[in-house]
Amino acid sequence: GLGAEAVGLSAVAVHQNAEILKKVGKLNARDIAAATKRHVLKQNEIAPSDLEIDQSDVLGRGAGGTVYRGVYDGNAVAVKSVQLDGLAREETKKLNAAFDREVAIACQLSHPRVIQVYGAVVSLPGLLLLVMEFGDGGDLRSALDRARAQGARGQLTVAGRKQLVQDIALGMKYLYQHD
């Protein structure tokens, strides 16, 4: 197999990767290092050592996984962690294939009104990580809830509402055109 250096990872990077991802995926360092050593990156794939995840900064949780704040290529990112442990082999295979297709499509999209997907970490056993642009304002639902909680002070002006609807429409139009 390929050593860590052959895929561009130093021993320090492998160690840092193991420490970070142990916290997120509850994998042991030996499994992570072994996966990193034998894995050659595919298109849209991010090396685990290139990603920093702040496990204390959970942005959201849902049936599909947990979203953490992280750093990739010097930029703040959102990292969705999807656990595959406990799934049947066939189910894991289907989920991996669907995930790969979705990442390939999403990475091709680029529009100022659509969150950018940078890529994914798929080389770790039992764990998929989707790395995407971090939106400082959070999601739309949370922003609307905050405005409602503030009462009249938080309400959008008519011009603000029009801008919001226009931004959403432009993003949706772009996505529809790139279906």
Side-chain angles (χ1 to χ4, degrees):
L2 295 173
E5 289 75 21
V7 291
L9 301 175
S10 67
V12 172
V14 170
H15 176 74
Q16 290 170 339
N17 169 47
E19 292 305 309
I20 292 167
L21 294 170
K22 263 195 325 190
K23 296 173 185 175
V24 175
K26 305 213 179 356
L27 299 171
N28 68 50
R30 187 179 58 227
D31 290 342
I32 293 170
T36 302
K37 285 180 184 177
R38 70 175 176 267
H39 190 78
V40 177
L41 297 179
K42 300 181 288 186
Q43 184 176 2
N44 303 318
E45 187 174 354
I46 295 171
S49 59
D50 291 343
L51 180 64
E52 297 174 36
I53 299 170
D54 183 353
Q55 72 162 18
S56 67
D57 197 349
V58 175
L59 302 174
R61 293 185 199 279
T66 303
V67 181
Y68 300 93
R69 183 189 302 252
V71 176
Y72 171 67
D73 200 25
N75 297 307
V77 294
V79 182
K80 182 177 183 180
S81 169
V82 179
Q83 295 286 335
L84 300 176
D85 294 337
L87 298 178
R89 180 181 294 242
E90 194 58 36
E91 191 176 354
T92 299
K93 191 175 177 179
K94 286 180 184 177
L95 184 59
N96 274 316
F99 186 82
D100 286 346
R101 281 190 306 274
E102 188 174 330
V103 169
I105 292 167
C107 285
Q108 293 176 20
L109 301 173
S110 180
H111 189 274
R113 304 299 188 274
V114 176
I115 292 291
Q116 178 70 48
V117 174
Y118 298 121
V121 176
V122 297
S123 60
L124 301 169
L127 182 67
L128 299 173
L129 300 173
L130 181 65
V131 182
M132 62 196 106
E133 178 182 5
F134 177 76
D136 282 334
D139 62 81
L140 178 60
R141 174 79 270 151
S142 297
L144 294 173
D145 288 345
R146 281 192 305 272
R148 178 171 287 160
Q150 292 177 1
R153 294 187 327 258
Q155 295 300 317
L156 290 171
T157 64
V158 172
R161 289 181 199 157
K162 285 181 181 178
Q163 184 64 53
L164 181 61
V165 170
Q166 181 180 12
D167 288 345
I168 292 169
L170 289 171
M172 295 301 293
K173 178 181 177 186
Y174 174 80
L175 292 172
Y176 182 75
Q177 290 172 337
H178 293 83
D179 186 25

CSV table of all heavy atoms in Angstrom, one decimal, residues 108-150:
chain,number,residue,atom,x,y,z
A,108,GLN,N,-19.9,20.8,-8.3
A,108,GLN,CA,-19.9,21.5,-9.6
A,108,GLN,C,-20.8,22.8,-9.5
A,108,GLN,O,-20.6,23.7,-10.4
A,108,GLN,CB,-20.5,20.6,-10.7
A,108,GLN,CG,-19.6,19.5,-11.0
A,108,GLN,CD,-20.2,18.5,-12.0
A,108,GLN,OE1,-21.1,18.9,-12.8
A,108,GLN,NE2,-19.8,17.3,-12.0
A,109,LEU,N,-21.6,23.0,-8.6
A,109,LEU,CA,-22.5,24.1,-8.5
A,109,LEU,C,-21.7,25.3,-7.9
A,109,LEU,O,-21.0,25.2,-6.9
A,109,LEU,CB,-23.7,23.8,-7.6
A,109,LEU,CG,-24.6,22.6,-8.1
A,109,LEU,CD1,-25.7,22.3,-7.1
A,109,LEU,CD2,-25.2,23.0,-9.4
A,110,SER,N,-21.9,26.5,-8.4
A,110,SER,CA,-21.3,27.7,-7.9
A,110,SER,C,-22.2,28.9,-8.2
A,110,SER,O,-22.4,29.2,-9.4
A,110,SER,CB,-19.9,27.8,-8.6
A,110,SER,OG,-19.3,29.0,-8.1
A,111,HIS,N,-22.8,29.4,-7.2
A,111,HIS,CA,-23.6,30.6,-7.3
A,111,HIS,C,-23.6,31.4,-6.0
A,111,HIS,O,-23.6,30.7,-4.9
A,111,HIS,CB,-25.1,30.1,-7.7
A,111,HIS,CG,-26.0,31.2,-8.0
A,111,HIS,ND1,-26.7,31.9,-7.1
A,111,HIS,CD2,-26.4,31.7,-9.2
A,111,HIS,CE1,-27.5,32.8,-7.7
A,111,HIS,NE2,-27.3,32.7,-9.0
A,112,PRO,N,-23.7,32.7,-6.0
A,112,PRO,CA,-23.6,33.4,-4.8
A,112,PRO,C,-24.8,33.2,-3.9
A,112,PRO,O,-24.8,33.5,-2.7
A,112,PRO,CB,-23.6,34.9,-5.3
A,112,PRO,CG,-23.9,34.9,-6.7
A,112,PRO,CD,-23.7,33.5,-7.2
A,113,ARG,N,-25.9,32.6,-4.4
A,113,ARG,CA,-27.1,32.4,-3.5
A,113,ARG,C,-27.3,30.9,-3.1
A,113,ARG,O,-28.3,30.5,-2.6
A,113,ARG,CB,-28.4,32.8,-4.3
A,113,ARG,CG,-28.4,34.3,-4.8
A,113,ARG,CD,-28.3,35.2,-3.6
A,113,ARG,NE,-28.5,36.6,-4.0
A,113,ARG,CZ,-27.5,37.4,-4.5
A,113,ARG,NH1,-26.3,37.0,-4.6
A,113,ARG,NH2,-27.8,38.7,-4.8
A,114,VAL,N,-26.2,30.1,-3.4
A,114,VAL,CA,-26.3,28.7,-3.1
A,114,VAL,C,-25.0,28.4,-2.2
A,114,VAL,O,-23.9,28.7,-2.6
A,114,VAL,CB,-26.3,27.8,-4.3
A,114,VAL,CG1,-26.2,26.3,-4.0
A,114,VAL,CG2,-27.5,28.1,-5.2
A,115,ILE,N,-25.2,27.6,-1.1
A,115,ILE,CA,-24.1,27.2,-0.3
A,115,ILE,C,-23.1,26.3,-1.1
A,115,ILE,O,-23.6,25.4,-1.8
A,115,ILE,CB,-24.5,26.5,1.0
A,115,ILE,CG1,-25.3,27.4,1.9
A,115,ILE,CG2,-23.4,25.8,1.7
A,115,ILE,CD1,-24.4,28.4,2.6
A,116,GLN,N,-21.8,26.7,-1.1
A,116,GLN,CA,-20.8,25.9,-1.9
A,116,GLN,C,-20.4,24.7,-1.1
A,116,GLN,O,-20.1,24.7,0.0
A,116,GLN,CB,-19.6,26.8,-2.1
A,116,GLN,CG,-18.5,26.1,-2.8
A,116,GLN,CD,-18.8,25.9,-4.3
A,116,GLN,OE1,-19.2,26.8,-5.0
A,116,GLN,NE2,-18.5,24.7,-4.8
A,117,VAL,N,-20.4,23.5,-1.8
A,117,VAL,CA,-19.9,22.3,-1.3
A,117,VAL,C,-18.5,22.1,-1.8
A,117,VAL,O,-18.3,22.2,-3.0
A,117,VAL,CB,-20.8,21.1,-1.7
A,117,VAL,CG1,-20.1,19.8,-1.2
A,117,VAL,CG2,-22.2,21.2,-1.1
A,118,TYR,N,-17.5,22.0,-0.9
A,118,TYR,CA,-16.1,21.9,-1.2
A,118,TYR,C,-15.7,20.5,-1.6
A,118,TYR,O,-14.8,20.3,-2.4
A,118,TYR,CB,-15.2,22.5,-0.1
A,118,TYR,CG,-15.5,23.9,0.1
A,118,TYR,CD1,-15.9,24.4,1.4
A,118,TYR,CD2,-15.3,24.9,-0.9
A,118,TYR,CE1,-16.1,25.7,1.6
A,118,TYR,CE2,-15.6,26.2,-0.6
A,118,TYR,CZ,-15.9,26.6,0.6
A,118,TYR,OH,-16.2,28.0,0.9
A,119,GLY,N,-16.3,19.5,-0.9
A,119,GLY,CA,-15.9,18.1,-1.1
A,119,GLY,C,-16.3,17.3,0.1
A,119,GLY,O,-17.1,17.7,1.0
A,120,ALA,N,-15.7,16.1,0.2
A,120,ALA,CA,-16.0,15.2,1.3
A,120,ALA,C,-14.8,14.4,1.7
A,120,ALA,O,-13.9,14.1,0.9
A,120,ALA,CB,-17.2,14.3,0.8
A,121,VAL,N,-14.9,13.9,2.9
A,121,VAL,CA,-14.0,12.9,3.4
A,121,VAL,C,-14.7,11.6,3.4
A,121,VAL,O,-15.7,11.5,4.1
A,121,VAL,CB,-13.5,13.3,4.9
A,121,VAL,CG1,-12.6,12.2,5.4
A,121,VAL,CG2,-12.8,14.6,4.9
A,122,VAL,N,-14.2,10.6,2.6
A,122,VAL,CA,-14.8,9.3,2.5
A,122,VAL,C,-13.9,8.2,2.9
A,122,VAL,O,-14.3,7.0,2.7
A,122,VAL,CB,-15.4,9.1,1.1
A,122,VAL,CG1,-16.5,10.2,0.8
A,122,VAL,CG2,-14.4,9.2,0.0
A,123,SER,N,-12.7,8.5,3.3
A,123,SER,CA,-11.7,7.4,3.5
A,123,SER,C,-11.7,6.8,4.9
A,123,SER,O,-10.9,6.0,5.2
A,123,SER,CB,-10.3,8.0,3.2
A,123,SER,OG,-10.0,9.1,4.0
A,124,LEU,N,-12.6,7.3,5.8
A,124,LEU,CA,-12.5,6.8,7.1
A,124,LEU,C,-13.6,5.7,7.3
A,124,LEU,O,-14.7,5.9,6.9
A,124,LEU,CB,-12.8,8.0,8.1
A,124,LEU,CG,-11.8,9.1,8.0
A,124,LEU,CD1,-12.3,10.3,8.8
A,124,LEU,CD2,-10.5,8.6,8.5
A,125,PRO,N,-13.2,4.7,8.0
A,125,PRO,CA,-14.2,3.6,8.2
A,125,PRO,C,-15.4,4.0,9.0
A,125,PRO,O,-15.3,4.6,10.1
A,125,PRO,CB,-13.4,2.5,8.9
A,125,PRO,CG,-12.2,3.1,9.3
A,125,PRO,CD,-12.0,4.4,8.6
A,126,GLY,N,-16.6,3.8,8.5
A,126,GLY,CA,-17.8,4.0,9.2
A,126,GLY,C,-18.2,5.5,9.3
A,126,GLY,O,-19.1,5.8,10.1
A,127,LEU,N,-17.6,6.4,8.5
A,127,LEU,CA,-17.9,7.8,8.7
A,127,LEU,C,-17.7,8.5,7.3
A,127,LEU,O,-16.8,8.3,6.6
A,127,LEU,CB,-16.9,8.4,9.7
A,127,LEU,CG,-17.0,9.9,10.0
A,127,LEU,CD1,-18.3,10.1,10.8
A,127,LEU,CD2,-15.8,10.3,10.9
A,128,LEU,N,-18.7,9.4,7.0
A,128,LEU,CA,-18.7,10.3,5.9
A,128,LEU,C,-18.7,11.7,6.4
A,128,LEU,O,-19.5,12.0,7.3
A,128,LEU,CB,-19.8,10.0,4.9
A,128,LEU,CG,-20.0,8.6,4.3
A,128,LEU,CD1,-21.3,8.5,3.6
A,128,LEU,CD2,-18.8,8.3,3.4
A,129,LEU,N,-17.9,12.6,5.8
A,129,LEU,CA,-17.9,14.0,6.2
A,129,LEU,C,-18.1,14.8,5.0
A,129,LEU,O,-17.4,14.7,4.0
A,129,LEU,CB,-16.6,14.4,6.8
A,129,LEU,CG,-16.2,13.6,8.1
A,129,LEU,CD1,-14.8,14.0,8.5
A,129,LEU,CD2,-17.2,13.9,9.2
A,130,LEU,N,-19.2,15.7,5.0
A,130,LEU,CA,-19.4,16.6,3.9
A,130,LEU,C,-19.0,18.0,4.3
A,130,LEU,O,-19.4,18.5,5.3
A,130,LEU,CB,-21.0,16.6,3.6
A,130,LEU,CG,-21.4,17.5,2.4
A,130,LEU,CD1,-20.8,17.0,1.1
A,130,LEU,CD2,-22.9,17.5,2.4
A,131,VAL,N,-18.1,18.6,3.5
A,131,VAL,CA,-17.5,19.9,3.8
A,131,VAL,C,-18.1,21.0,2.9
A,131,VAL,O,-18.0,20.9,1.7
A,131,VAL,CB,-16.0,19.8,3.7
A,131,VAL,CG1,-15.3,21.2,4.0
A,131,VAL,CG2,-15.4,18.7,4.5
A,132,MET,N,-18.7,22.0,3.6
A,132,MET,CA,-19.4,23.0,2.8
A,132,MET,C,-19.2,24.4,3.4
A,132,MET,O,-18.7,24.5,4.5
A,132,MET,CB,-20.9,22.7,2.7
A,132,MET,CG,-21.6,22.7,4.0
A,132,MET,SD,-23.2,21.9,3.9
A,132,MET,CE,-22.8,20.4,4.8
A,133,GLU,N,-19.5,25.4,2.6
A,133,GLU,CA,-19.3,26.8,3.0
A,133,GLU,C,-20.1,27.0,4.3
A,133,GLU,O,-21.2,26.5,4.5
A,133,GLU,CB,-19.9,27.6,1.9
A,133,GLU,CG,-19.9,29.1,2.1
A,133,GLU,CD,-20.5,29.8,0.9
A,133,GLU,OE1,-21.0,29.2,-0.1
A,133,GLU,OE2,-20.5,31.1,1.0
A,134,PHE,N,-19.5,27.8,5.1
A,134,PHE,CA,-20.2,28.2,6.4
A,134,PHE,C,-20.9,29.5,6.2
A,134,PHE,O,-20.4,30.5,5.7
A,134,PHE,CB,-19.2,28.4,7.5
A,134,PHE,CG,-19.8,28.8,8.8
A,134,PHE,CD1,-20.5,27.9,9.6
A,134,PHE,CD2,-19.6,30.1,9.2
A,134,PHE,CE1,-21.0,28.3,10.8
A,134,PHE,CE2,-20.2,30.6,10.4
A,134,PHE,CZ,-20.9,29.7,11.2
A,135,GLY,N,-22.2,29.5,6.5
A,135,GLY,CA,-23.1,30.7,6.4
A,135,GLY,C,-23.1,31.4,7.7
A,135,GLY,O,-23.7,30.9,8.7
A,136,ASP,N,-22.5,32.6,7.8
A,136,ASP,CA,-22.4,33.3,9.1
A,136,ASP,C,-23.8,33.6,9.7
A,136,ASP,O,-23.9,33.5,10.9
A,136,ASP,CB,-21.7,34.7,8.9
A,136,ASP,CG,-20.2,34.5,8.8
A,136,ASP,OD1,-19.7,33.6,9.3
A,136,ASP,OD2,-19.6,35.4,8.2
A,137,GLY,N,-24.8,33.8,8.9
A,137,GLY,CA,-26.1,34.1,9.4
A,137,GLY,C,-26.9,32.9,9.8
A,137,GLY,O,-28.0,33.0,10.3
A,138,GLY,N,-26.3,31.7,9.6
A,138,GLY,CA,-27.1,30.5,9.9
A,138,GLY,C,-28.1,30.2,8.8
A,138,GLY,O,-28.1,30.8,7.8
A,139,ASP,N,-29.0,29.3,9.1
A,139,ASP,CA,-30.0,28.9,8.1
A,139,ASP,C,-31.2,29.9,8.2
A,139,ASP,O,-31.4,30.7,9.1
A,139,ASP,CB,-30.5,27.5,8.4
A,139,ASP,CG,-31.2,27.3,9.7
A,139,ASP,OD1,-32.3,27.7,9.8
A,139,ASP,OD2,-30.5,26.8,10.6
A,140,LEU,N,-31.9,29.9,7.1
A,140,LEU,CA,-33.1,30.8,6.9
A,140,LEU,C,-34.1,30.7,8.1
A,140,LEU,O,-34.5,31.7,8.6
A,140,LEU,CB,-33.7,30.6,5.6
A,140,LEU,CG,-35.0,31.5,5.3
A,140,LEU,CD1,-34.6,33.0,5.3
A,140,LEU,CD2,-35.5,31.1,3.9
A,141,ARG,N,-34.4,29.5,8.4
A,141,ARG,CA,-35.4,29.3,9.5
A,141,ARG,C,-35.0,29.9,10.8
A,141,ARG,O,-35.7,30.6,11.5
A,141,ARG,CB,-35.6,27.7,9.7
A,141,ARG,CG,-36.5,27.4,10.9
A,141,ARG,CD,-38.0,27.5,10.6
A,141,ARG,NE,-38.5,28.8,10.9
A,141,ARG,CZ,-39.5,29.5,10.3
A,141,ARG,NH1,-40.1,28.9,9.3
A,141,ARG,NH2,-39.9,30.7,10.7
A,142,SER,N,-33.7,29.7,11.2
A,142,SER,CA,-33.2,30.3,12.4
A,142,SER,C,-33.2,31.9,12.3
A,142,SER,O,-33.6,32.5,13.3
A,142,SER,CB,-31.8,29.9,12.7
A,142,SER,OG,-31.7,28.5,12.9
A,143,ALA,N,-32.9,32.4,11.2
A,143,ALA,CA,-32.9,33.9,11.0
A,143,ALA,C,-34.3,34.4,11.2
A,143,ALA,O,-34.6,35.4,11.8
A,143,ALA,CB,-32.3,34.3,9.7
A,144,LEU,N,-35.3,33.7,10.6
A,144,LEU,CA,-36.7,34.2,10.7
A,144,LEU,C,-37.2,34.0,12.1
A,144,LEU,O,-37.9,34.9,12.6
A,144,LEU,CB,-37.6,33.4,9.7
A,144,LEU,CG,-37.3,33.6,8.2
A,144,LEU,CD1,-38.1,32.7,7.4
A,144,LEU,CD2,-37.6,35.1,7.9
A,145,ASP,N,-36.8,33.0,12.8
A,145,ASP,CA,-37.2,32.8,14.2
A,145,ASP,C,-36.6,33.9,15.1
A,145,ASP,O,-37.3,34.4,16.0
A,145,ASP,CB,-36.8,31.4,14.7
A,145,ASP,CG,-37.6,30.3,14.1
A,145,ASP,OD1,-38.7,30.5,13.5
A,145,ASP,OD2,-37.2,29.1,14.2
A,146,ARG,N,-35.4,34.2,14.8
A,146,ARG,CA,-34.7,35.3,15.6
A,146,ARG,C,-35.5,36.6,15.4
A,146,ARG,O,-35.7,37.4,16.3
A,146,ARG,CB,-33.3,35.5,15.2
A,146,ARG,CG,-32.3,34.5,15.8
A,146,ARG,CD,-30.9,34.8,15.7
A,146,ARG,NE,-30.5,35.1,14.3
A,146,ARG,CZ,-30.0,34.1,13.4
A,146,ARG,NH1,-30.0,32.9,13.8
A,146,ARG,NH2,-29.7,34.5,12.2
A,147,ALA,N,-35.8,36.9,14.1
A,147,ALA,CA,-36.5,38.1,13.8
A,147,ALA,C,-37.9,38.2,14.5
A,147,ALA,O,-38.3,39.2,15.1
A,147,ALA,CB,-36.7,38.3,12.3
A,148,ARG,N,-38.6,37.0,14.5
A,148,ARG,CA,-39.9,36.9,15.2
A,148,ARG,C,-39.8,37.1,16.7
A,148,ARG,O,-40.6,37.8,17.3
A,148,ARG,CB,-40.6,35.6,14.9
A,148,ARG,CG,-41.9,35.5,15.6
A,148,ARG,CD,-42.6,34.2,15.1
A,148,ARG,NE,-43.1,34.5,13.8
A,148,ARG,CZ,-43.5,33.6,12.9
A,148,ARG,NH1,-43.4,32.3,13.2
A,148,ARG,NH2,-43.9,33.9,11.7
A,149,ALA,N,-38.7,36.6,17.3
A,149,ALA,CA,-38.5,36.7,18.7
A,149,ALA,C,-38.2,38.1,19.1
A,149,ALA,O,-38.6,38.6,20.2
A,149,ALA,CB,-37.4,35.8,19.2
A,150,GLN,N,-37.7,38.9,18.2
A,150,GLN,CA,-37.4,40.3,18.5
A,150,GLN,C,-38.6,41.2,18.3
A,150,GLN,O,-38.5,42.4,18.6
A,150,GLN,CB,-36.2,40.8,17.6
A,150,GLN,CG,-34.9,40.1,17.9
A,150,GLN,CD,-33.8,40.6,17.0
A,150,GLN,OE1,-34.0,41.4,16.1
A,150,GLN,NE2,-32.6,40.0,17.2
